[in-house]
Amino acid sequence: MTSSYQLLPEDLALLISQRPADFLSRYSDATFLAVNVGGASELLLPGLSALGAGSVQRVSVIAFKTVVSAGSDRQDPRRAIDHLRRKVEQARHFVIALGKRGDSTYADRISVGRALNKDIVLRDASISKFHAWFETANGEWTLTDAGSTNGTRVNGVALSARQTVALTTGDTIRFGSIECVLCTPGLLLQAFAHSA
């Protein structure tokens, strides 16, 4: 049976389905974003597939004010697995590891946007050229909306411009009309292996 999802790096599908222990060992410190590509624009999947290719241009400095709000209620792991499993069964997903594609002005930020020089390229009309960014410290992830036109939501709650929220595994993130789920290797293994 063919899987209803694609994975990047390409060997994730093999590691999940055939050698779960190797998958967990190899990606133990990674965090992934499962991007719902079902029914999305025809440019979204090629944009995600091209991640890592090409040079990353420097972006100009943008002044911002960070407001940290209380993160979502911490989900219990079982709920996060069931949540992602339902998402995977409903639509095709493309999984990417959160990380920098190259040198940029903000080495500590993982940028999200429609522009090809972003770390995570979401080629969809609902996505701003520079839509949002992720940051991590001490194993904890945060997300900040960059003043996007169509907004960023975490678990259904809209972020205001330049607002930063704490994230937890299994959180649903919506950039414009593109929905994603924040995943750990264990969550991917349990949710995706079940749905393959």
Side-chain angles (χ1 to χ4, degrees):
M1 176 180 184
T2 347
S3 62
S4 60
Y5 58 91
Q6 291 189 3
L7 298 166
L8 182 73
E10 293 171 3
D11 61 349
L12 289 183
L14 180 66
L15 289 170
I16 284 176
S17 63
Q18 296 181 2
R19 297 187 306 277
D22 290 348
F23 170 75
L24 289 174
S25 172
R26 184 170 184 177
Y27 296 102
S28 62
D29 60 349
T31 301
F32 298 94
L33 197 63
V35 182
N36 183 335
V37 295
S41 76
E42 61 187 45
L43 295 175
L44 182 63
L45 193 54
L48 287 166
S49 298
L51 288 174
S55 61
V56 176
Q57 301 169 7
R58 293 190 172 270
V59 295
S60 57
V61 175
I62 299 171
F64 69 97
K65 175 185 174 188
T66 300
V67 179
V68 178
S69 68
S72 61
D73 293 336
R74 297 296 185 221
Q75 296 182 6
D76 104 32
R78 185 84 250 152
R79 280 188 60 205
I81 293 164
D82 292 342
H83 172 71
L84 182 57
R85 190 174 287 156
R86 280 192 307 276
K87 298 276 184 194
V88 169
E89 289 168 352
Q90 292 168 0
R92 195 167 173 227
H93 282 70
F94 191 98
V95 177
I96 55 173
L98 286 180
K100 296 295 289 178
R101 286 197 304 147
D103 294 330
S104 69
T105 304
Y106 297 107
D108 57 338
R109 294 183 187 172
I110 299 167
S111 58
V112 178
R114 192 177 73 245
L116 296 176
N117 67 338
K118 298 305 171 215
D119 298 309
I120 299 172
V121 179
L122 299 176
R123 302 286 286 163
D124 186 84
S126 69
I127 305 296
S128 297
K129 288 180 183 178
F130 178 34
H131 199 98
W133 71 85
F134 291 96
E135 289 182 275
T136 185
N138 303 319
E140 299 294 321
W141 285 93
T142 60
L143 177 67
T144 304
D145 180 81
S148 62
T149 302
N150 293 309
T152 303
R153 295 179 165 274
V154 176
N155 299 323
V157 178
L159 276 62
S160 57
R162 310 289 188 261
Q163 179 185 2
T164 298
V165 294
L167 299 173
T168 189
T169 298
D171 280 349
T172 298
I173 302 165
R174 183 176 286 273
F175 302 106
S177 64
I178 305 300
E179 187 177 85
C180 309
V181 178
L182 190 72
C183 308
T184 60
L187 177 57
L188 275 181
L189 180 65
Q190 293 180 65
F192 279 76
H194 172 81
S195 302

